[in-house]
Amino acid sequence: MASLNWKPDFSSEIPLYVQIKEFIKTKITLGEWSVGTKIPSQRALAILFNVNRSTVVTALHDLIAEGLLEGNTKGGTRVVNNSWNLLAAAPPPDWSSYVQAGTYYPNQPVIQHINRAEFQQGIVRLGTGELSEDLLPSEQMKSIFAGSSMNPFSLGYEEPKGNLYLRKQLADYLQGRGVSASPSNILIVSGSLQALQLISMGLLPRGSSVLVEKPSYLYSVHVFQSNNIKLVGLPMDEQGVQTNLISRYKEGYHASLLYTIPTFHNPTGTLMSEARRQELMRICTNEGLPIIEDDVYNELWFDTPPPLPLKARDPHALVLYLGSFSKTLSPGLRIGWVVAPEPVIDRLADIKMQSDYGSSSISQWAAAEWLHRGLYQEHLVSLRDQLKRRRDLTVQLLTTYFTGMAAWHVPAGGFYIWVKLTVEIKMQVLFERALKAGILLNPGTIYHRQTGNYLRISYAYAKLDELEWGMGQLAALMRELADGK
């Protein structure tokens, strides 16, 4: 509501309070401010309309007298009726109660705050997990659509599993990762997040438990929790998830599956070792515990390729394998995939058709062309080089500004550096002070409640000059807070 694009006409003969009253009444009558909506405070409205607070008070008092608003000292002023419903016998719907009754969990308040702040002008985003505009291959994407193709795109719907041309290209491409797949056991989804939603709805009964690394990106979204599925955190070390705990946790929590990001983990950047991968597969095979392998960062290595995916060592079809172009090519394409046994793919495809009737046919065609023409592989070579430069700059900035205040490990790929603060600072205060200074952070509490003294620093999104400025300013804020200022 803080973005009201209206101001009273100071040259009009109509009193300012009447103009404000009629503006608010229109918002209510048209349903833009529905019953139950809490309107901005008197002070906020006075600032937005550039008038004295007393002018706003007069307008609100009239609306309260007319029965449209109701105010109190604790709960603020809320819409309790609209001009049409004042004439009706039945009370109006309270949309706020509907919103609160929905079964899908809302985002954590801090994530809602981050999502809004990301689109504010002048904000330097130090935690954003996506590629900078500078790293997106916009010109090559234009050439994809401008060039000729043996496979023209369709403007219609695709078949339930997705565009066959794309699934064939993916099956060939995944062979290079050691993942054996055929078009029939690949499902095209709108990013790997949708894959998780489909799995939570289609494969797990309500009340199930899922083992997950602690911390994990999965804690920052509610795709499982909203289906009454519990997340059980497994501790990590420098080699990845601590596999020696899996059997005990599976039995103790009756876990249905395990979710892992073994390659350049989000948020820690950890690369699971070859030995740990072998141990993980051995234990899960013995336990009959299925695995969701989220491998969206696999191709973003800097010096040497990572170990083979878990799916590449999966003779018993234990692993549901997720991939995406969002972290490497374009988040706007919204193209990801699931590789799984065909009955699982058929089940997920059926749910997807009920949800959105298939991912964009144009995006699927474009993704297939990137693979078919060899442009994707060329793009990855350049992208890795640029991300490595950004990582090196960020490590240099951490060394320069944060030595003595934080600790970190240098990742071998991906987007993130998991920074542990070693000075006593209240993270909520740091978040708010940084945002006021024009810096948006991703606090560790997003990824687990026990990692409140961590920050996820991303070197993928901010421009290089923004990285330098933002890291320097953040260090200065931390020093001030550590000194009690």
Side-chain angles (χ1 to χ4, degrees), residues 100 163 173 248 264 267 269 283 323 415:
Q100 294 168 9
N163 181 284
Y173 185 72
R248 176 153 53 94
F264 312 128
I283 292 172
F415 284 180

Side-chain angles (χ1 to χ4, degrees), residues 6 8-10 12-22 55:
W6 178 85
D9 183 358
F10 289 87
S12 172
E13 295 181 359
I14 301 174
L16 294 175
Y17 84 90
V18 175
Q19 294 184 50
I20 293 171
K21 171 186 167 183
E22 291 304 315
T55 303

Side-chain angles (χ1 to χ4, degrees), residues 257-271:
L257 56 79
L258 181 146
Y259 170 87
T260 179
I261 309 175
T263 304
F264 312 128
H265 177 263
N266 180 7
T268 67
T270 301
L271 177 62

Side-chain angles (χ1 to χ4, degrees), residues 343-417:
V344 173
I345 293 298
D346 290 340
R347 169 68 169 149
L348 300 183
D350 176 60
I351 298 174
K352 179 170 170 57
M353 290 298 284
Q354 297 179 59
S355 303
D356 64 7
Y357 223 72
S359 301
S360 162
S361 58
I362 297 176
S363 290
Q364 292 187 62
W365 175 86
E369 286 294 296
W370 273 92
L371 291 172
H372 177 70
R373 301 185 193 185
L375 295 174
Y376 183 60
Q377 294 86 333
E378 294 176 9
H379 165 69
L380 286 175
V381 173
S382 171
L383 179 61
R384 290 184 195 115
D385 180 65
Q386 294 182 73
L387 282 174
K388 182 180 179 182
R389 293 172 187 271
R390 286 166 160 268
R391 179 208 61 181
D392 292 345
L393 171 63
T394 306
V395 170
Q396 177 187 328
L397 294 170
L398 283 168
T399 303
T400 300
Y401 294 119
F402 290 80
T403 297
M405 294 194 299
W408 59 90
H409 295 287
V410 179
F415 284 180
Y416 312 114
I417 301 178

Side-chain angles (χ1 to χ4, degrees), residues 12-121:
S12 172
E13 295 181 359
I14 301 174
L16 294 175
Y17 84 90
V18 175
Q19 294 184 50
I20 293 171
K21 171 186 167 183
E22 291 304 315
F23 170 76
I24 295 176
K25 182 182 285 188
T26 299
K27 300 283 281 187
I28 295 172
T29 302
L30 294 178
E32 295 180 30
W33 290 0
S34 60
V35 171
T37 299
K38 182 178 179 181
I39 73 170
S41 68
Q42 297 172 0
R43 184 184 302 277
L45 288 172
I47 294 172
L48 288 167
F49 298 147
N50 196 26
V51 297
N52 292 327
R53 185 175 176 182
S54 59
T55 303
V56 172
V57 170
T58 302
L60 296 183
H61 280 177
D62 278 9
L63 292 167
I64 290 172
E66 291 179 18
L68 297 175
L69 299 180
E70 184 177 90
N72 59 63
T73 55
K74 292 183 179 180
T77 303
R78 295 181 181 274
V79 178
V80 293
N81 224 317
N82 62 50
S83 56
W84 296 106
N85 283 312
L86 285 172
L87 304 176
D94 182 350
W95 286 111
S96 294
S97 66
Y98 279 80
V99 168
Q100 294 168 9
T103 58
Y104 202 94
Y105 287 14
N107 267 328
Q108 299 175 38
V110 67
I111 295 179
Q112 294 187 38
H113 201 162
I114 290 171
N115 290 342
R116 290 191 298 266
E118 283 183 337
F119 296 94
Q120 294 178 14
Q121 291 293 323

Side-chain angles (χ1 to χ4, degrees), residues 25 47 127 293 299 342 372 420:
K25 182 182 285 188
I47 294 172
E293 180 180 14
E299 295 154 316
E342 197 163 348
H372 177 70
K420 180 180 181 180

Side-chain angles (χ1 to χ4, degrees), residues 108 214-216 219 233-236 249 418 420 443-454:
Q108 299 175 38
K214 182 176 68 176
S216 174
Y219 282 104
L234 286 167
M236 299 177 66
Y249 276 51
W418 190 232
K420 180 180 181 180
T445 47
I446 294 173
Y447 310 105
H448 196 271
R449 63 182 181 275
Q450 294 178 356
T451 52
N453 59 331
Y454 283 83

Side-chain angles (χ1 to χ4, degrees), residues 170 174 177 186-189 321-325 336-339:
L170 278 171
L174 291 173
R177 296 192 198 177
I186 297 176
L187 171 67
I188 305 302
V189 290
Y321 185 73
L322 313 186
S324 173
F325 288 124
W337 57 87
V338 184
V339 178

